[in-house]
């Protein structure tokens, strides 16, 4: 089985880097990815994808990436669910 995705879009806000109790860096951010085609009313739509980066990639995001930057992300899709 293959679970690989490549996304290119703009980051919606400055990424925040946090550290786990075992001192691993983690950063969560949202990537705005425009669709290539218009919907039935002729308008372009955008998907907002929640992303997570770990360790050195998370630290680099915090140092070098700002809101509105064009970002390419390669990774895998994983669904998460929460109970409130």
């Amino acid at each position: 089985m293959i679970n690989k995705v490549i996304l290119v879009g703009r980051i919606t806000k400055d990424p925040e880097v946090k550290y786990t109790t075992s001192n691993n860096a983690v950063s969560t951010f949202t990537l705005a990815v425009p669709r290539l085609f218009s919907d039935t009313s002729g308008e372009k739509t955008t998907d907002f994808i929640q992303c997570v980066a770990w360790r050195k990639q998370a630290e680099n995001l915090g140092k070098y990436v700002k809101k509105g930057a064009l970002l390419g992300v390669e990774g895998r899709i994983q669904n998460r669910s929460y109970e409130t």
Side-chain angles (χ1 to χ4, degrees), residues 3-52:
N3 183 1
K4 182 176 181 178
V5 64
I6 299 171
L7 301 170
V8 177
R10 298 207 176 265
I11 195 159
T12 60
K13 67 177 186 176
D14 291 350
E16 253 183 65
V17 179
K18 297 180 181 179
Y19 290 87
T20 64
T21 55
S22 57
N23 208 27
N24 288 324
V26 61
S27 179
T28 57
F29 58 96
T30 303
L31 199 63
V33 180
R35 292 191 182 186
L36 296 177
F37 303 102
S38 303
D39 62 9
T40 55
S41 64
E43 292 188 31
K44 296 270 187 179
T45 57
T46 302
D47 293 310
F48 294 90
I49 311 296
Q50 300 291 322
C51 301
V52 179

Side-chain angles (χ1 to χ4, degrees), residues 50-68:
Q50 300 291 322
C51 301
V52 179
W54 290 91
R55 297 178 182 81
K56 190 65 177 175
Q57 289 89 354
E59 291 174 352
N60 287 336
L61 276 169
K63 286 182 188 176
Y64 302 114
V65 176
K66 301 294 179 206
K67 176 182 175 179

